[in-house]
Amino acid sequence: SSAVYMSTDSGSTWSELSTITSPYATADITLDPTSPEKLFVKGVIGTASALFMSTDGGHTWTKANSSSLLFPTSIVVNPKNPQEIFAGDSNGLEVSEDGGSTWTNQSNLASLWYLTYIPGNSGATLLGSAGVNMYSSADNGKSWAEADPGTSYLFSESIAIDPNQPTTLFMYGVDGFPLSRSTDAGATWIQSYSGTASYGVVVIDPG
């Protein structure tokens, strides 16, 4: 569906808020942590995708105008500088310095399928998956190093950050990949659950 839905009762009921440009289907909504009226959503159609942005809480949407955004896969907003936005893409890492109006490619990686922004006292870390490998960047995506070399992550699709301990992360991958945990901001991982089920999204109860 190309519709965006909203709940005002903690998810008990939902109502349609708006639709993005048809025939795109909505996926992966990201909120600006400093401005809840500003949203980003990935629109998918077949094997193609596009990035849409809203500045009125999701009532209306505009498509990002960028020739370098080929297949956006995930979007993260710098919570300390919301004008700085990162998008994982089939073209590598795309970066916007003006709140999403314009984008430039800033990575020598062939692709980034899932992207996470990890705040830290000495600076932030970007964590991204590329195929079966995990990479980290300490300079906003200008350079990348393989995290936990030799470990296969099977296209990690969801990473949750412990709100009380930002260096503790939980991650899952596709096709029965075990739930894994990192206590060093993604540098190394250990298996946390060995079941064979595939997971949807990993979340942490802040309470």
Side-chain angles (χ1 to χ4, degrees), residues 131-143:
V132 296
N133 298 318
M134 183 73 69
Y135 294 88
S136 64
S137 173
D139 55 9
N140 284 348
K142 295 180 178 64
S143 61

Side-chain angles (χ1 to χ4, degrees), residues 1-90:
S1 170
S2 60
V4 175
Y5 292 85
M6 180 177 67
S7 174
T8 57
D9 54 10
S10 301
S12 296
T13 60
W14 295 83
S15 59
E16 184 176 318
L17 181 64
S18 60
T19 59
I20 62 174
T21 304
S22 181
Y24 287 96
T26 57
D28 297 335
I29 296 177
T30 300
L31 282 70
D32 182 334
T34 66
S35 178
E37 292 294 300
K38 191 169 186 178
L39 313 173
F40 299 88
V41 67
K42 181 179 73 175
V44 179
I45 174 174
T47 58
S49 70
L51 182 63
F52 294 85
M53 180 173 65
S54 173
T55 57
D56 57 8
H59 291 281
T60 60
W61 298 87
T62 56
K63 185 179 178 181
N65 184 20
S66 173
S67 59
S68 62
L69 275 171
L70 300 181
F71 193 100
T73 56
S74 60
I75 308 102
V76 294
V77 180
N78 183 343
K80 294 184 178 181
N81 176 18
Q83 290 296 300
E84 188 172 50
I85 305 167
F86 305 93
D89 189 76
S90 61

Side-chain angles (χ1 to χ4, degrees), residues 178-197:
L179 185 68
S180 299
R181 176 169 58 96
S182 172
T183 57
D184 52 14
T188 59
W189 297 84
I190 58 173
Q191 185 173 304
S192 182
Y193 174 69
S194 58
T196 58

Side-chain angles (χ1 to χ4, degrees), residues 113-169:
W113 291 104
Y114 187 81
L115 199 61
T116 303
Y117 186 94
I118 307 169
N121 293 331
S122 59
T125 299
L126 278 173
L127 197 64
S129 65
V132 296
N133 298 318
M134 183 73 69
Y135 294 88
S136 64
S137 173
D139 55 9
N140 284 348
K142 295 180 178 64
S143 61
W144 295 82
E146 187 176 348
D148 211 357
T151 302
S152 173
Y153 296 98
L154 294 181
F155 296 96
S156 61
E157 290 196 349
S158 181
I159 298 176
I161 303 173
D162 187 334
N164 300 311
Q165 185 63 44
T167 57
T168 297
L169 317 173

